[in-house]
Amino acid sequence: MKSDITFGQYVEGNSVIHRLDPRVKIVISLVYIVAIFLAKSVTAFILLTVSSAVFVVMTGISPRLILRSMKPLLFIIIFTAVINLFFMTGENPVFEWRFIHIYREGIINACLIVLRIVLLITATSVFLTYTTTPLALTDALEQLLSPLKKLHVPVHEFSMMMTIALRFIPTLIDETQKIINAQTARGADFTSGGLIKRGKALVPILIPLFISAFRRADELATAMECRCYTGGEGRTRMNTLKSKPKDWVFFFCILLLTAGIVLLNIFFPLYTVLK
Amino acid sequence: MNAIEMRHVSFAYGSAKNGPTAKKALDDISLAVESGGITGLIGHTGSGKSTLVQMINGLLKPDEGEVLLDGVNIWAEPKKIRQFRFKAGLVMQYPEYQLFAETVAEDIAFGPKNMGLEKDELDRRVREAARFAGLADDLLQKSPFDLSGGQKRRAALAGVIAMRPKILILDEPAAGLDPAGRRDILGGIKRFSRESGTTVLIVSHSMEDMAMYCDDIIVMAHAKILMHKPTAEVFSDWEQLASVGLDVPLITRVAAALIENGVDIGRDVYTVDYAVGKVRELLGENPES
């Protein structure tokens, strides 16, 4: 049961991108997302597509896996494409029939929007979900947000909560399966009947699940207190994050890329349509 | 007729089904358990005991082979699988964590209610099951979360007994209980089996418990059945048990040591009472030793 669940989407690997400082990866993805939204012209999109392809190759993750991560968003992608196709007006009509008008600008725009979404998913997959463990992400987030501590935001506590929540997801899934089995063995039926009946059928699963979650939380709190955990103040870490030269190199490359896109938008605005 | 019968049952969990790491949880299992007795199921961790147990009441479906209860293939009509869950009641490990209702009585009634039973019959079933499980009447109206650990365990057990299963399967029913609690719960199960003629299958790691309560024992190792014999014969083969990482009752180890030192106490010693009798017998014949 347990091994069936791929929790998060981290793909084991040892590529340059895998080994980047997770803080840098978070910042890079933000910058790259800004770059994707800044791109307005076909030339800029060509540059983005090529660079994304290079990143995918660098991670060593099969492109098929990245395409698969787009499946859940397929509906949104198609929906936005269709909306743009039919409702974008322009000067070059391609197809007209009664109330349907399709313009060349609409077609290009729809394609670019789809490309934009695909690039967004690829970028976050490549930099974050596929190459960074959830734990590394929360650690990095804690450090990136640490200036907020000055404003009395409990950054450490939030990140500790997130870490614990992540840690317990597989445990709770396991537990849920056990409880479902136990109640099924007593003849519980979750698959027939109307909405209300099905909702009621969940009670014998949810109550034991909540109780055991509270029990676990209580036990964990006691265990942490026994080891003198008091929170973020003066706490050191076993693995401290250190950025190396290659992290900075990567960071500046992305900045250059963004600058390039702005320049392309201005100087080679081939088919600038996206508004 | 055999209460439980399996014919060439194989099973692998989802992720282990195909590919180079394919590993079967059950590998061509065939067995027959006669009706009415108490059968023990032992095996090292990961030998397939829990999988086997979930096959019997249809929580898992075999990849190959057939499971028969009272001679009927339970997967002949997959839509009617629920009736076999009532027939083969399964008490999972640490069943107290599945209690959910407002009162103990309501929780015990969950199974019978799912069978479609109504008010009076429901009430009778609850009381009967509580009596077999050793729950006092005044506990029935309490919240299950106010009970002690041992009482919770019994309430969960009663929840399955109340379905009046013809076969009762228990996965580690005494795990985590103190010696008195173990005796109470296992003694109650034995009494229930003898009085109602229910076939019982117990999974346990405690060889002492197995020796005390089981008529025969199934030994599993590496997804296969190693042996299925009367209790005395299983424990007399301590070499083979040790080879798959299993122990024998303490008193059998004493007997083994005696045999090694030339005292012929016999290999069929697995309860203390029997051993005491044997030793007396030996001393009587041979007072100097």
Side-chain angles (χ1 to χ4, degrees):
Chain A
M1 178 71 211
K2 215 181 292 177
S3 47
D4 280 356
I5 303 154
T6 40
F7 168 62
Q9 289 173 308
Y10 180 67
V11 181
E12 206 78 40
N14 200 24
S15 69
V16 190
I17 296 185
H18 275 87
R19 279 177 286 138
L20 281 183
D21 185 325
R23 289 172 298 179
V24 173
K25 281 198 266 192
I26 291 178
V27 175
I28 285 178
S29 352
L30 289 177
V31 174
Y32 198 70
I33 288 169
V34 170
I36 292 172
F37 277 104
L38 283 177
K40 282 192 168 66
S41 59
V42 171
T43 40
F45 272 100
I46 291 172
L47 179 62
L48 279 174
T49 313
V50 171
S51 62
S52 285
V54 171
F55 295 144
V56 172
V57 172
M58 280 172 82
T59 58
I61 293 168
S62 110
R64 252 209 278 152
L65 203 63
I66 290 172
L67 283 179
R68 208 191 299 159
S69 69
M70 292 176 195
K71 233 180 177 174
L73 294 168
L74 204 59
F75 175 76
I76 295 177
I77 295 176
I78 292 173
F79 186 73
T80 36
V82 168
I83 292 276
N84 271 282
L85 195 58
F86 289 116
F87 292 96
M88 182 90 184
T89 50
E91 282 132 31
N92 307 297
V94 179
F95 178 82
E96 276 183 270
W97 180 75
R98 292 195 189 176
F99 55 92
I100 299 177
H101 307 275
I102 295 178
Y103 298 90
R104 202 169 66 186
E105 286 81 357
I107 296 174
I108 296 172
N109 216 18
C111 291
L112 290 186
I113 288 262
V114 168
L115 191 58
R116 185 179 267 176
I117 300 177
V118 169
L119 287 172
L120 274 177
I121 300 172
T122 312
T124 43
S125 309
V126 162
F127 290 123
L128 301 176
T129 47
Y130 278 152
T131 60
T132 322
T133 58
L135 275 185
L137 271 184
T138 42
D139 267 7
L141 215 53
E142 179 183 351
Q143 292 203 16
L144 282 176
L145 295 179
S146 59
L148 290 178
K149 279 179 192 163
K150 296 245 158 60
L151 301 172
H152 299 289
V153 179
V155 176
H156 170 79
E157 281 71 17
F158 279 136
S159 94
M160 180 55 99
M161 276 157 64
M162 225 155 99
T163 312
I164 291 173
L166 288 170
R167 151 72 184 76
F168 273 99
I169 288 173
T171 313
L172 287 179
I173 290 176
D174 219 36
E175 188 113 348
T176 314
Q177 190 55 49
K178 270 189 199 153
I179 296 171
I180 289 178
N181 275 348
Q183 306 299 23
T184 311
R186 292 208 276 164
D189 184 7
F190 311 111
T191 51
S192 68
L195 203 61
I196 295 175
K197 197 175 166 224
R198 283 192 199 201
K200 268 189 179 164
L202 287 179
V203 172
I205 295 173
L206 290 180
I207 292 181
L209 192 61
F210 273 111
I211 288 173
S212 99
F214 286 133
R215 184 174 44 84
R216 274 181 206 287
D218 201 41
E219 281 168 9
L220 184 69
T222 314
M224 284 167 83
E225 260 177 28
C226 286
R227 285 181 253 174
C228 303
Y229 176 82
T230 52
E233 201 71 25
R235 192 171 161 79
T236 55
R237 324 184 133 263
M238 190 158 99
N239 302 310
T240 44
L241 295 171
K242 282 200 192 83
S243 33
K244 293 177 215 86
K246 70 164 191 270
D247 293 315
W248 290 103
V249 170
F250 221 95
F251 179 59
F252 281 113
C253 285
I254 300 284
L255 281 185
L256 269 180
L257 193 83
T258 314
I261 280 160
V262 174
L263 291 178
L264 280 177
N265 277 339
I266 299 169
F267 294 109
F268 297 96
L270 192 59
Y271 290 124
T272 306
V273 248
L274 284 172
K275 292 188 177 100
Chain B
M1 196 186 297
N2 291 319
I4 308 169
E5 196 178 335
M6 288 194 171
R7 291 184 190 152
H8 305 290
V9 169
S10 289
F11 180 79
Y13 284 98
S15 54
K17 249 182 188 120
N18 306 304
T21 55
K23 193 171 165 287
K24 283 185 173 172
L26 295 179
D27 188 2
D28 194 23
I29 297 264
S30 292
L31 67 86
V33 176
E34 275 175 37
S35 143
I38 300 182
T39 303
L41 179 57
I42 59 178
H44 58 86
T45 312
S47 60
K49 294 173 309 229
S50 292
T51 311
L52 184 84
V53 153
Q54 291 181 40
M55 282 286 154
I56 299 171
N57 79 339
L59 276 180
L60 294 174
K61 191 177 178 182
D63 295 336
E64 287 162 46
E66 297 177 332
V67 180
L68 296 92
L69 298 185
D70 284 340
V72 183
N73 182 352
I74 67 170
W75 288 104
E77 283 178 84
K79 280 191 178 148
K80 293 192 176 166
I81 191 67
R82 244 166 57 124
Q83 77 186 62
F84 293 100
R85 302 218 167 108
F86 299 129
K87 189 166 194 167
L90 170 63
V91 182
M92 313 265 284
Q93 250 178 71
Y94 295 102
E96 54 272 31
Y97 294 140
Q98 74 208 30
L99 298 173
F100 70 95
E102 273 172 59
T103 66
V104 174
E106 266 175 61
D107 204 283
I108 297 175
F110 181 65
K113 222 181 212 165
N114 286 331
M115 299 167 78
L117 296 179
E118 299 285 340
K119 203 82 199 81
D120 283 349
E121 177 65 11
L122 213 56
D123 234 44
R124 194 166 14 196
R125 292 274 182 113
V126 170
R127 286 183 189 287
E128 178 197 87
R131 190 170 51 81
F132 271 123
L135 274 180
D137 268 356
D138 60 308
L139 292 178
L140 288 179
Q141 295 312 318
K142 275 195 172 178
S143 160
F145 305 108
D146 291 338
L147 303 186
S148 73
Q151 289 169 333
K152 278 187 196 167
R153 181 78 55 95
R154 278 181 230 173
L157 175 64
V160 173
I161 288 181
M163 302 192 300
R164 279 203 199 141
K166 296 193 76 175
I167 302 157
L168 181 63
I169 310 159
L170 304 121
D171 198 347
E172 290 275 1
L177 295 182
D178 59 20
R182 299 182 83 88
R183 259 200 314 277
D184 280 356
I185 214 151
L186 291 167
I189 291 163
K190 184 161 189 168
R191 213 177 56 235
F192 171 67
S193 166
R194 296 291 186 250
E195 278 181 34
S196 61
T198 308
T199 312
V200 173
L201 185 68
I202 302 179
V203 179
S204 177
H205 279 115
S206 161
M207 299 304 152
E208 268 74 22
D209 289 349
M210 287 296 180
M212 283 273 282
Y213 298 100
C214 295
D215 303 317
D216 56 351
I217 290 180
I218 299 171
V219 184
M220 284 193 77
H222 309 297
K224 286 177 184 291
I225 287 182
L226 191 68
M227 47 180 150
H228 179 190
K229 290 180 191 163
T231 307
E233 285 178 47
V234 168
F235 286 136
S236 67
D237 198 356
W238 52 74
E239 289 90 352
Q240 203 178 351
L241 286 179
S243 76
V244 293
L246 292 173
D247 234 337
V248 292
L250 196 58
I251 193 66
T252 309
R253 296 224 300 270
V254 172
L258 284 173
I259 289 172
E260 218 167 89
N261 287 294
V263 181
D264 184 23
I265 190 169
R267 289 179 76 99
D268 57 348
V269 174
Y270 63 92
T271 60
V272 177
D273 290 344
Y274 182 78
V276 169
K278 264 293 197 187
V279 170
R280 285 237 167 89
E281 200 178 290
L282 285 171
L283 289 175
E285 279 174 15
N286 201 356
E288 294 99 341
S289 65

Coordinates of all heavy atoms in Angstrom, one line a residue, chain A residues 85-140:
Chain A
L85 N -9.2 31.8 -28.7 CA -9.4 31.5 -30.1 C -10.7 32.2 -30.6 O -10.7 32.9 -31.6 CB -9.6 30.0 -30.3 CG -9.4 29.5 -31.8 CD1 -8.1 29.9 -32.4 CD2 -9.6 28.0 -31.8
F86 N -11.8 32.2 -29.8 CA -13.1 32.7 -30.3 C -13.3 34.2 -29.9 O -14.1 34.8 -30.6 CB -14.2 31.8 -29.7 CG -14.2 30.5 -30.4 CD1 -14.0 29.3 -29.6 CD2 -14.5 30.3 -31.7 CE1 -14.1 28.1 -30.2 CE2 -14.5 29.1 -32.3 CZ -14.3 28.0 -31.5
F87 N -12.7 34.6 -28.9 CA -13.1 36.0 -28.4 C -12.0 37.0 -28.7 O -12.3 38.2 -28.5 CB -13.4 35.9 -26.9 CG -14.7 35.2 -26.7 CD1 -14.7 33.8 -26.3 CD2 -15.9 35.8 -26.9 CE1 -15.8 33.1 -26.1 CE2 -17.1 35.0 -26.7 CZ -17.0 33.7 -26.3
M88 N -10.9 36.6 -29.2 CA -9.9 37.6 -29.5 C -10.2 38.3 -30.9 O -10.5 37.6 -31.9 CB -8.5 36.9 -29.6 CG -7.4 37.8 -29.9 SD -6.7 38.4 -28.4 CE -5.5 39.5 -29.0
T89 N -10.3 39.6 -30.9 CA -10.6 40.2 -32.2 C -9.3 40.8 -32.8 O -8.4 41.1 -32.0 CB -11.6 41.4 -32.0 OG1 -11.2 42.2 -31.0 CG2 -13.0 40.8 -31.7
G90 N -9.3 40.9 -34.1 CA -8.1 41.5 -34.7 C -8.4 42.0 -36.1 O -9.6 42.3 -36.4
E91 N -7.4 42.1 -37.0 CA -7.6 42.7 -38.3 C -7.6 41.7 -39.4 O -8.0 42.0 -40.5 CB -6.5 43.7 -38.6 CG -6.8 45.1 -37.9 CD -5.5 45.6 -37.2 OE1 -4.4 45.3 -37.7 OE2 -5.7 46.2 -36.1
N92 N -7.1 40.5 -39.1 CA -7.0 39.5 -40.2 C -8.0 38.3 -40.0 O -7.6 37.3 -39.4 CB -5.6 38.9 -40.3 CG -4.6 40.1 -40.4 OD1 -4.6 40.8 -41.4 ND2 -3.7 40.2 -39.4
P93 N -9.2 38.4 -40.4 CA -10.1 37.3 -40.2 C -9.7 36.1 -41.0 O -9.3 36.2 -42.2 CB -11.5 37.8 -40.7 CG -11.2 39.0 -41.5 CD -9.8 39.5 -41.1
V94 N -9.8 34.9 -40.4 CA -9.4 33.7 -41.1 C -10.6 32.8 -41.4 O -10.7 32.2 -42.4 CB -8.4 32.8 -40.2 CG1 -8.1 31.5 -40.8 CG2 -7.2 33.6 -39.8
F95 N -11.6 32.9 -40.5 CA -12.8 32.1 -40.6 C -14.0 32.8 -40.1 O -13.9 33.4 -39.0 CB -12.5 30.8 -39.8 CG -13.6 29.8 -39.8 CD1 -13.8 28.9 -40.9 CD2 -14.5 29.8 -38.8 CE1 -14.9 28.0 -40.8 CE2 -15.6 28.9 -38.7 CZ -15.8 28.0 -39.8
E96 N -15.0 32.9 -40.9 CA -16.2 33.5 -40.4 C -17.5 32.7 -40.7 O -17.6 32.2 -41.8 CB -16.4 34.9 -41.0 CG -15.6 35.9 -40.2 CD -15.7 37.3 -40.8 OE1 -15.0 37.7 -41.7 OE2 -16.6 38.1 -40.3
W97 N -18.3 32.5 -39.7 CA -19.5 31.7 -40.0 C -20.5 32.2 -38.9 O -20.3 32.0 -37.7 CB -19.3 30.2 -39.8 CG -20.5 29.4 -40.1 CD1 -21.1 29.2 -41.3 CD2 -21.3 28.8 -39.1 NE1 -22.3 28.4 -41.1 CE2 -22.4 28.1 -39.8 CE3 -21.2 28.6 -37.7 CZ2 -23.4 27.4 -39.1 CZ3 -22.2 27.9 -37.1 CH2 -23.3 27.3 -37.8
R98 N -21.6 32.9 -39.4 CA -22.6 33.5 -38.5 C -21.9 34.3 -37.4 O -21.2 35.2 -37.7 CB -23.5 32.4 -37.9 CG -24.4 31.8 -39.0 CD -25.5 31.0 -38.4 NE -26.2 30.3 -39.4 CZ -27.2 29.5 -39.2 NH1 -27.6 29.2 -38.0 NH2 -27.8 28.8 -40.2
F99 N -22.1 33.8 -36.2 CA -21.5 34.6 -35.1 C -20.1 34.2 -34.7 O -19.5 34.8 -33.8 CB -22.4 34.5 -33.8 CG -22.6 33.1 -33.4 CD1 -21.8 32.5 -32.4 CD2 -23.6 32.3 -33.9 CE1 -22.0 31.2 -32.0 CE2 -23.8 31.0 -33.5 CZ -23.0 30.5 -32.6
I100 N -19.5 33.3 -35.4 CA -18.1 32.8 -35.1 C -17.2 33.6 -35.9 O -17.2 33.5 -37.2 CB -18.0 31.3 -35.2 CG1 -18.9 30.6 -34.3 CG2 -16.5 30.9 -35.0 CD1 -18.9 29.1 -34.4
H101 N -16.3 34.3 -35.3 CA -15.2 35.0 -36.1 C -13.9 34.6 -35.5 O -13.6 34.7 -34.3 CB -15.3 36.5 -35.9 CG -16.7 37.0 -36.2 ND1 -17.1 37.3 -37.5 CD2 -17.7 37.3 -35.5 CE1 -18.3 37.7 -37.5 NE2 -18.8 37.7 -36.3
I102 N -13.0 34.0 -36.3 CA -11.7 33.7 -35.8 C -10.7 34.5 -36.6 O -10.7 34.6 -37.8 CB -11.4 32.2 -36.0 CG1 -12.4 31.4 -35.1 CG2 -10.0 31.8 -35.7 CD1 -12.2 29.9 -35.3
Y103 N -9.8 35.1 -35.8 CA -8.8 36.0 -36.5 C -7.4 35.4 -36.3 O -7.2 34.6 -35.4 CB -8.8 37.4 -35.8 CG -10.1 38.1 -36.0 CD1 -11.1 38.0 -35.0 CD2 -10.4 38.9 -37.1 CE1 -12.3 38.6 -35.2 CE2 -11.6 39.6 -37.2 CZ -12.6 39.4 -36.3 OH -13.7 40.0 -36.4
R104 N -6.5 35.8 -37.2 CA -5.2 35.3 -37.1 C -4.6 35.6 -35.7 O -3.9 34.8 -35.1 CB -4.3 35.8 -38.2 CG -3.1 34.9 -38.4 CD -2.4 35.3 -39.7 NE -1.7 36.6 -39.5 CZ -1.1 37.2 -40.5 NH1 -1.1 36.7 -41.7 NH2 -0.6 38.4 -40.3
E105 N -4.8 36.8 -35.2 CA -4.3 37.2 -33.9 C -4.8 36.2 -32.8 O -4.1 35.9 -31.9 CB -4.7 38.6 -33.5 CG -4.0 39.7 -34.3 CD -4.6 39.9 -35.7 OE1 -5.5 39.2 -36.1 OE2 -4.1 40.8 -36.4
G106 N -6.1 35.8 -32.9 CA -6.7 34.9 -32.0 C -5.9 33.6 -32.0 O -5.6 33.0 -30.9
I107 N -5.6 33.1 -33.1 CA -4.9 31.8 -33.2 C -3.5 31.9 -32.6 O -3.1 31.1 -31.7 CB -4.8 31.3 -34.7 CG1 -6.1 31.1 -35.3 CG2 -3.9 30.1 -34.8 CD1 -6.1 30.8 -36.8
I108 N -2.8 33.0 -32.9 CA -1.5 33.1 -32.4 C -1.5 33.3 -30.9 O -0.8 32.7 -30.1 CB -0.7 34.3 -33.0 CG1 -0.5 34.1 -34.5 CG2 0.6 34.6 -32.3 CD1 0.0 35.3 -35.2
N109 N -2.5 34.1 -30.4 CA -2.7 34.3 -29.0 C -3.0 33.1 -28.2 O -2.4 32.8 -27.2 CB -3.8 35.4 -28.8 CG -3.5 36.3 -27.6 OD1 -2.3 36.4 -27.2 ND2 -4.5 36.9 -27.1
A110 N -3.9 32.3 -28.8 CA -4.2 31.0 -28.1 C -3.0 30.1 -28.0 O -2.7 29.5 -26.9 CB -5.3 30.3 -28.9
C111 N -2.2 30.0 -29.1 CA -1.0 29.2 -29.0 C 0.0 29.7 -28.0 O 0.5 28.9 -27.2 CB -0.3 29.2 -30.4 SG -1.2 28.4 -31.7
L112 N 0.2 31.0 -27.9 CA 1.1 31.6 -27.0 C 0.7 31.4 -25.5 O 1.5 31.1 -24.6 CB 1.4 33.1 -27.2 CG 2.1 33.4 -28.5 CD1 2.4 34.9 -28.6 CD2 3.4 32.6 -28.6
I113 N -0.7 31.5 -25.3 CA -1.2 31.3 -23.9 C -0.9 29.9 -23.5 O -0.5 29.6 -22.4 CB -2.7 31.6 -23.9 CG1 -2.9 33.1 -24.0 CG2 -3.3 31.0 -22.6 CD1 -3.2 33.8 -22.7
V114 N -1.2 28.9 -24.4 CA -1.0 27.5 -24.1 C 0.5 27.3 -23.8 O 0.9 26.7 -22.8 CB -1.4 26.6 -25.2 CG1 -0.9 25.2 -25.0 CG2 -2.9 26.6 -25.4
L115 N 1.4 27.9 -24.6 CA 2.8 27.8 -24.4 C 3.2 28.4 -23.0 O 4.0 27.8 -22.3 CB 3.5 28.5 -25.5 CG 5.0 28.3 -25.6 CD1 5.3 26.8 -25.8 CD2 5.6 29.1 -26.8
R116 N 2.6 29.5 -22.7 CA 2.9 30.1 -21.4 C 2.6 29.2 -20.3 O 3.4 29.1 -19.3 CB 2.1 31.4 -21.3 CG 2.4 32.2 -20.1 CD 1.6 33.5 -20.1 NE 2.4 34.6 -20.6 CZ 1.8 35.9 -20.8 NH1 0.6 36.1 -20.5 NH2 2.5 36.8 -21.3
I117 N 1.4 28.6 -20.3 CA 1.0 27.7 -19.2 C 2.0 26.5 -19.1 O 2.4 26.1 -18.1 CB -0.4 27.2 -19.3 CG1 -1.4 28.4 -19.3 CG2 -0.8 26.3 -18.2 CD1 -2.8 28.1 -19.6
V118 N 2.2 26.0 -20.3 CA 3.2 24.8 -20.4 C 4.5 25.2 -19.8 O 5.1 24.4 -19.0 CB 3.3 24.3 -21.8 CG1 4.4 23.3 -21.9 CG2 2.0 23.7 -22.3
L119 N 5.0 26.4 -20.1 CA 6.3 26.8 -19.6 C 6.3 27.0 -18.1 O 7.2 26.6 -17.4 CB 6.7 28.1 -20.3 CG 7.2 28.0 -21.8 CD1 7.4 29.4 -22.4 CD2 8.5 27.2 -21.9
L120 N 5.2 27.6 -17.6 CA 5.0 27.8 -16.2 C 5.1 26.4 -15.4 O 5.9 26.3 -14.4 CB 3.7 28.4 -15.9 CG 3.6 29.9 -15.9 CD1 2.1 30.3 -15.7 CD2 4.5 30.5 -14.9
I121 N 4.4 25.5 -15.9 CA 4.4 24.1 -15.2 C 5.8 23.5 -15.3 O 6.3 23.0 -14.4 CB 3.4 23.2 -15.9 CG1 2.0 23.8 -15.7 CG2 3.4 21.8 -15.2 CD1 0.9 23.1 -16.5
T122 N 6.4 23.6 -16.5 CA 7.7 23.0 -16.7 C 8.7 23.7 -15.7 O 9.5 23.0 -15.1 CB 8.2 23.3 -18.2 OG1 7.2 22.9 -19.1 CG2 9.5 22.4 -18.4
A123 N 8.7 25.0 -15.7 CA 9.6 25.7 -14.8 C 9.5 25.3 -13.3 O 10.5 24.9 -12.7 CB 9.5 27.2 -14.9
T124 N 8.3 25.3 -12.8 CA 8.1 24.9 -11.4 C 8.5 23.4 -11.2 O 9.0 23.1 -10.2 CB 6.7 25.2 -10.9 OG1 5.8 24.8 -11.9 CG2 6.5 26.7 -10.7
S125 N 8.1 22.6 -12.2 CA 8.5 21.2 -12.0 C 10.0 21.0 -12.0 O 10.5 20.3 -11.1 CB 8.0 20.3 -13.2 OG 6.6 20.5 -13.4
V126 N 10.7 21.7 -12.9 CA 12.1 21.5 -13.1 C 12.9 22.1 -11.9 O 13.8 21.4 -11.3 CB 12.6 22.1 -14.4 CG1 14.1 22.4 -14.3 CG2 12.2 21.3 -15.5
F127 N 12.4 23.2 -11.4 CA 13.2 23.9 -10.3 C 12.7 23.4 -8.9 O 13.5 23.3 -8.0 CB 13.1 25.4 -10.4 CG 13.9 25.9 -11.5 CD1 13.3 26.7 -12.5 CD2 15.2 25.6 -11.7 CE1 14.0 27.2 -13.5 CE2 15.9 26.1 -12.8 CZ 15.3 26.9 -13.7
L128 N 11.4 23.1 -8.8 CA 10.9 22.9 -7.4 C 10.5 21.4 -7.3 O 11.2 20.6 -6.7 CB 9.8 23.8 -7.1 CG 10.3 25.3 -7.1 CD1 9.1 26.2 -6.8 CD2 11.4 25.6 -6.1
T129 N 9.3 21.1 -7.8 CA 8.7 19.8 -7.4 C 9.5 18.6 -7.7 O 9.6 17.7 -7.0 CB 7.3 19.7 -7.9 OG1 7.3 20.0 -9.3 CG2 6.3 20.6 -7.2
Y130 N 10.1 18.6 -8.9 CA 10.8 17.3 -9.3 C 12.2 17.2 -8.8 O 12.7 16.1 -8.7 CB 10.8 17.2 -10.9 CG 9.5 16.7 -11.4 CD1 9.1 17.0 -12.7 CD2 8.7 15.8 -10.7 CE1 7.9 16.5 -13.2 CE2 7.5 15.3 -11.2 CZ 7.2 15.6 -12.5 OH 6.0 15.1 -13.0
T131 N 12.8 18.4 -8.5 CA 14.2 18.3 -8.1 C 14.6 18.7 -6.7 O 15.7 18.6 -6.3 CB 15.1 19.2 -9.1 OG1 14.6 20.5 -8.9 CG2 14.9 18.8 -10.5
T132 N 13.5 19.1 -5.9 CA 13.8 19.5 -4.6 C 12.9 18.7 -3.6 O 11.7 18.6 -3.9 CB 13.5 21.0 -4.4 OG1 13.9 21.7 -5.6 CG2 14.2 21.5 -3.2
T133 N 13.4 18.1 -2.6 CA 12.6 17.4 -1.6 C 11.7 18.4 -0.9 O 12.1 19.5 -0.6 CB 13.4 16.6 -0.6 OG1 14.2 17.5 0.1 CG2 14.3 15.6 -1.3
P134 N 10.5 18.0 -0.5 CA 9.6 18.9 0.2 C 10.3 19.4 1.5 O 10.1 20.6 1.8 CB 8.4 18.0 0.6 CG 8.4 16.9 -0.4 CD 9.9 16.7 -0.8
L135 N 11.1 18.6 2.1 CA 11.8 19.1 3.4 C 12.8 20.2 3.1 O 12.8 21.2 3.8 CB 12.5 17.9 4.0 CG 11.7 17.1 5.0 CD1 12.6 16.1 5.7 CD2 11.0 18.0 6.0
A136 N 13.6 20.0 2.0 CA 14.5 21.1 1.6 C 13.7 22.4 1.3 O 14.2 23.5 1.6 CB 15.3 20.6 0.4
L137 N 12.6 22.2 0.6 CA 11.8 23.4 0.3 C 11.3 24.2 1.5 O 11.4 25.4 1.6 CB 10.6 23.0 -0.5 CG 10.7 22.9 -2.0 CD1 9.4 22.5 -2.7 CD2 11.3 24.2 -2.6
T138 N 10.8 23.4 2.5 CA 10.4 24.2 3.7 C 11.5 24.8 4.4 O 11.4 25.9 4.9 CB 9.6 23.2 4.7 OG1 10.3 22.0 4.8 CG2 8.2 23.0 4.3
D139 N 12.7 24.1 4.5 CA 13.9 24.7 5.1 C 14.2 26.0 4.4 O 14.5 27.0 5.1 CB 15.1 23.7 4.9 CG 15.2 22.8 6.2 OD1 14.2 22.9 7.0 OD2 16.1 22.1 6.2
A140 N 14.3 25.9 3.1 CA 14.7 27.1 2.3 C 13.7 28.2 2.5 O 14.1 29.4 2.7 CB 14.8 26.7 0.8

